[in-house]
Amino acid sequence: MSPAFDPLRYRADFPLLSRRVHDKPLIYFDNANTAQKPRAVIAAVEEYYRDYNANVARAVHSLGEQATAAYEGTRDKLAAFLNAGGRDQIVFTSGTTQAINLVAYSFALPRLQPGDEILVTQMEHHANIVPWQLVAGRSGATVRAAPIDDDGVLSLDRFEALLSSRVKLAAVAHVSNVIGTANPVAAIAKLCRARGIPLLVDGSQACPHQRVDLQAIGCDFYAMTGHKLFGPTGTGALWARREHLQAMPPFFGGGEMIRTVSFDGTVFADPPHKFEAGTPNIAGFIGLGAAIDYVQGVGLDRIQAYETELLAYATAALDSVPGLRLFGRAPHKAAVLSFLIEGVHAHDLATLVDHEGVALRSGHHCAHPLMQRFGVPATARASLAFYNTRDEVDAFIIALDKVRRLLA
Ligand code: PMP
């Protein structure tokens, strides 16, 4: 474990982490579902509503200007955080799901012809499958999936072999929400670019755990979610290459996305505002700005180093539990541990460890095809963050052992 990294120091910044559940100290291992919020984020949201609640972009009064500056400030922070190139390339969305749907309807659908293909992988979240199926259904295209091996690793050779001239778009998770695999997205982007195939990367699970450098990755689209990055729910973004944003028609129409409107026609605003119709989640994005400041204060490289150590510790601990099967052993992975214990249903397991204070997720994790790949209906999943500790892993293993003795 990195001696310089003290998770207890950061835990103190998250009020919720000190609460109890079923009279036991909370062990929050459901960070891939949504992460907890530091005091700075809660304060930023509260401060907005208390001190300068106003709509953005349309008011010249002081409150409106203050709200707009704070809200737009998050765009600058996110652009810097992702090494985005320009703030105009950051489109605010309600999360990864909306970001991917925007690309599906606005970019992909007008370009798809019968017989075309969209290439994804077997480890995708439904948010990176279903939107492509919807636009494929409308256009006569099909969605194909590149296979993963038993360790949950995507074979680049197999992926490359599927990149035929029929493929009009590829969409790949940066990090899997179920098995933690961190895909080599820069190498994938290189393969796609060599063939002129646009690549979308689903960065939902990557941003909280590793430094994301969009200039280095070289993809066409990158989708992220704020609530997994310790920010408020209902926030996220789509990053895209400028030429795509300029070429894409708007997805939603309404206020704030136009330059002029008449009954003869509408002239749209420039990106990113062209894609941001209506009043946004102002408080949420102001909170996201605070979350980015917070995470940068901790340091993504330090977070990644610490979580890698914690993952190794947790993996060894889970491997010591009799009858436990761990899904996903990629050499490069985030601290996400999906597992089953022989003879125990994932839901029963999660329910019983909850009584010991441990919050896990159980189910298909919005990844039916991945469950099918491993031949199971569901798994239990522990997903860790930098505020989790070895002591919590130890307590979790004791709770698991109790459940196993009870049920297995
Ligand atoms: N992709 C991945 C890999 C995810 O883990 C999630 C959230 N579980 C999503 C997409 C969807 O994110 P959201 O629901 O925040 O839009």
Side-chain angles (χ1 to χ4, degrees), residues 291-371:
I292 292 167
D293 288 343
Y294 181 86
V295 170
Q296 283 191 315
V298 181
L300 256 304
D301 293 337
R302 294 176 70 237
I303 287 175
Q304 187 175 13
Y306 172 71
E307 289 183 4
T308 302
E309 298 277 349
L310 193 61
L311 171 66
Y313 185 79
T315 303
L318 282 178
D319 279 339
S320 73
V321 176
L324 187 140
R325 177 180 173 198
L326 183 67
F327 298 86
R329 292 184 184 273
H332 299 288
K333 66 174 277 192
V336 179
L337 302 115
S338 266
F339 62 95
L340 281 175
I341 294 179
E342 216 178 330
V344 184
H345 193 282
H347 288 310
D348 294 341
L349 197 154
T351 307
L352 286 168
V353 296
D354 177 61
H355 285 268
E356 304 297 318
V358 183
L360 297 183
R361 185 170 171 191
S362 62
H364 52 69
H365 314 291
C366 301
H368 278 157
L370 185 57
M371 296 292 111

Side-chain angles (χ1 to χ4, degrees), residues 32 95-97 125 127 175 177 202 204-205 225 227-228:
T96 297
T97 304
H125 186 282
V175 169
N177 63 310
D202 171 356
S204 199
Q205 297 289 348
T225 282
H227 68 93
K228 297 182 203 281

Side-chain angles (χ1 to χ4, degrees), residues 201-286:
V201 176
D202 171 356
S204 199
Q205 297 289 348
C207 291
H209 304 294
Q210 62 183 78
R211 183 184 296 282
V212 172
D213 182 338
L214 291 174
Q215 304 305 309
I217 293 172
C219 58
D220 292 78
F221 302 99
Y222 195 90
M224 62 80 66
T225 282
H227 68 93
K228 297 182 203 281
L229 187 61
F230 315 99
T233 53
T235 63
L238 172 71
W239 171 90
R241 289 184 182 274
R242 271 200 190 93
E243 64 265 30
H244 296 326
L245 290 178
Q246 261 138 24
M248 283 159 63
F251 182 38
F252 289 113
E256 301 309 327
M257 49 77 73
I258 51 87
R259 208 186 288 262
T260 60
V261 179
S262 80
F263 286 110
D264 295 326
T266 290
V267 180
F268 302 121
D270 289 331
H273 301 290
K274 176 168 93 169
F275 302 104
E276 296 177 356
T279 299
N281 180 2
I282 303 165
F285 282 101
I286 290 171

Side-chain angles (χ1 to χ4, degrees), residues 10 56 58-59 84 104 113 121 131 177 185 188 245 292 331 333 341 346 349 353 360 371 374 393 403:
Y10 301 113
V56 291
R58 50 183 92 172
Q113 305 282 336
T121 80
N177 63 310
V185 287
I188 292 171
L245 290 178
I292 292 167
K333 66 174 277 192
I341 294 179
L349 197 154
V353 296
L360 297 183
M371 296 292 111
F374 285 115
V393 172
V403 170

